[in-house]
Amino acid sequence: MYLVQDQASYHAAMKEIRQYSLVGFDTETTGLDPHTHSLRLLQFATEGGVYIVDTWRVPVWQPELSDLLNTATVVGHNLVFDLGFIARNGVRLPRSGKNLFDTMVARQILRAGLDIVDLGDNLDDAETGYKHRRNSLAATVKDHLGITLDKSQQVSNWARETLDPEQLEYAAKDAFILLDLHTELSRLLREGRLMRVMLLEMRSMPTLVKMRLAGMPVDVEEWKRLANDATRKLEVVKADLDAKAGAVVMPAKKSGRKAERVPGVRSINWASPAQVKHVFATRGYMLDTTNAATLKMLAAEDDVAAALVDYRYALKRATTYGHAWLENVNPITGRVHPTLNQVGAEQTGRMSSSKPNMQQIPNKPEDHGAYKSAFKAPPGRVLVKADYSQIELRVAAELAPCPAMLAAFDAGKDLHTLTAETVLGVPLDTLSPEERKAARQRGKVTNFGRLFGMGAKRFVDYAWAGFGMKITLEEAQRLGDAFFATFPGIRVWHRRQGEGPIEIRTLSGRRRQSVLKFTEMLNAPVQGTAADILKTALAIMHEREDRLPVYAGMVPIICVHDEIVVECNRSYAEDVKAWLVECMVDAHKVWLNRVPPGVDAQICGNWYGGD
């Protein structure tokens, strides 16, 4: 172990490190936020030893580190974190991520969701925490190398002027173990024919680093206004719910010094599943669960269930997206910097975000885009957002393959409209605007429900819970028949699926193992390939960034589902828009050869799409 604490030693160490083609890389920091916390140590591990750079004595924006990122294979664990800190300190990201190797991402690719567990209702925090523990460096080393890492120093004080020998030894071990981990995980990736997937993940990583650093611009005062409105709305909705429920005799409380000893009328705690079940039992409904899907189905015939659905949504707005949400605004940048989880859904490879979850920002019709409108570009700048149109249907058309679906895309037709016209037997342009909108929505629900193999009963539930569309079992069957009549190639694709458990692959080769459910056999390769396309676009964006003039001021800020959003100077918006569309179209062409790409893009002042 070599401790580097001056410029001369740093230059000498970097010269020595650059003799090796494989370098383990890690950092120690005073906290988790690169904007408000400090980079404390840089660790470089080679076969010749470990070099620890004290960044409080040696600046890290030296060109040697940038050169290393472009020449050696740099191995880290959760590299998005480490690269974010060094980029914040002035180090240029590598020209391509192809030289990177993230052992955490490799582990996620290899596991492919094999140990997904039921975490209950609190998915945002519980799932993030569970995945972090399962994919930590200690867990990865234990599982793949059989070695127990002592992580007790991880929570020690890294902001001290002089670090303890135990801290330095801990830092050195974390970096050095990466070399053996790289050897083992590389072997497993090759055996699993997953190296192409790994390369794709690494190439997309620099754009994710830039997104996390840039963050989302948010109008704080506008958000406060929305929070106040939500609080007032919650009071109104709560009063309406209580009024509809009326007086309900509640069971006796079983404990508490002042507890009731006999049943009586008292205020209902709508957050209590037991009390909610009791309320509906008095109304003749014996519920096994009070989840959203159950209540939405019941809402069609019971006004209390409908009011409870409204109350829960209003409560979510007033609490999760109330004044407390503004704690996510960074005090240094004034922006929101969500954690982008590169392999958030291990079953498919799709990304997710947390702290905060940007995928769940309220966007119901009754909100009129208010919350997304609060994410506004700064003066002189605009947002350019682009998304893949009907990407899952396009992927399925090629995977199946489905000649009718391919022909429809080639002709530039809207598949939701096409299905709706088959169901109705008349062209949608002969209908009124309201009828046309409702018919196309029915076609959309049919396409997505039947594409992934839902039976009639589940399709009924899906239509109501997801889209508020009430249909009968007979109509569900008729819609399914219409879908397969329109796209017979999809039925053939469905019938080709084998008996589980089976292995599923996306077009990039991304693997999911031991798939049992028929719907997942269809869903995983489609959603996974869509994720591959999006990540390819992120990779191309980074590798072609030099095609934009530096004066454009382009920076990627968020990626949600099938949408990419960048921010740029207003005067270069058209150039940036054309560049973004080109990157996304070319990414589509990497994986899909038979179906044409569809990318919709716009220049706007806020995330919702307004000026």
Side-chain angles (χ1 to χ4, degrees), residues 455-518:
K457 177 62 172 68
R458 185 176 176 189
F459 180 64
V460 169
D461 296 343
Y462 166 77
W464 177 252
F467 300 89
M469 183 182 298
K470 188 176 182 181
I471 59 176
T472 64
L473 279 172
E474 293 74 17
E475 188 176 5
Q477 187 61 53
R478 183 169 63 85
L479 289 171
D481 292 342
F483 174 79
F484 291 121
T486 308
F487 307 117
I490 298 299
R491 185 184 290 278
V492 175
W493 176 49
H494 284 189
R495 289 173 175 170
R496 284 206 312 267
Q497 303 308 312
E499 295 291 331
I502 63 173
E503 178 182 287
I504 298 296
R505 296 268 180 169
T506 69
L507 290 179
S508 75
R510 188 184 300 275
R511 179 184 68 186
R512 184 177 175 190
Q513 304 171 77
S514 299
V515 179
L516 290 167
K517 295 181 180 178
F518 174 66

Side-chain angles (χ1 to χ4, degrees), residues 420-473:
E421 289 178 339
T422 302
V423 172
L424 294 175
V426 297
L428 260 59
D429 57 12
T430 64
L431 306 177
S432 68
E434 293 78 12
E435 291 172 328
R436 186 161 57 247
K437 181 178 179 180
R440 185 183 180 278
Q441 179 77 336
R442 191 161 293 247
K444 179 179 179 179
V445 174
T446 301
N447 284 341
F448 286 123
R450 280 342 214 5
L451 176 67
F452 295 129
M454 289 183 186
K457 177 62 172 68
R458 185 176 176 189
F459 180 64
V460 169
D461 296 343
Y462 166 77
W464 177 252
F467 300 89
M469 183 182 298
K470 188 176 182 181
I471 59 176
T472 64
L473 279 172

Side-chain angles (χ1 to χ4, degrees), residues 24-40:
F25 176 63
D26 194 19
T27 64
E28 301 301 336
T29 65
T30 61
L32 302 178
D33 178 17
H35 296 286
T36 57
H37 297 114
S38 300
L39 183 64
R40 188 64 181 88

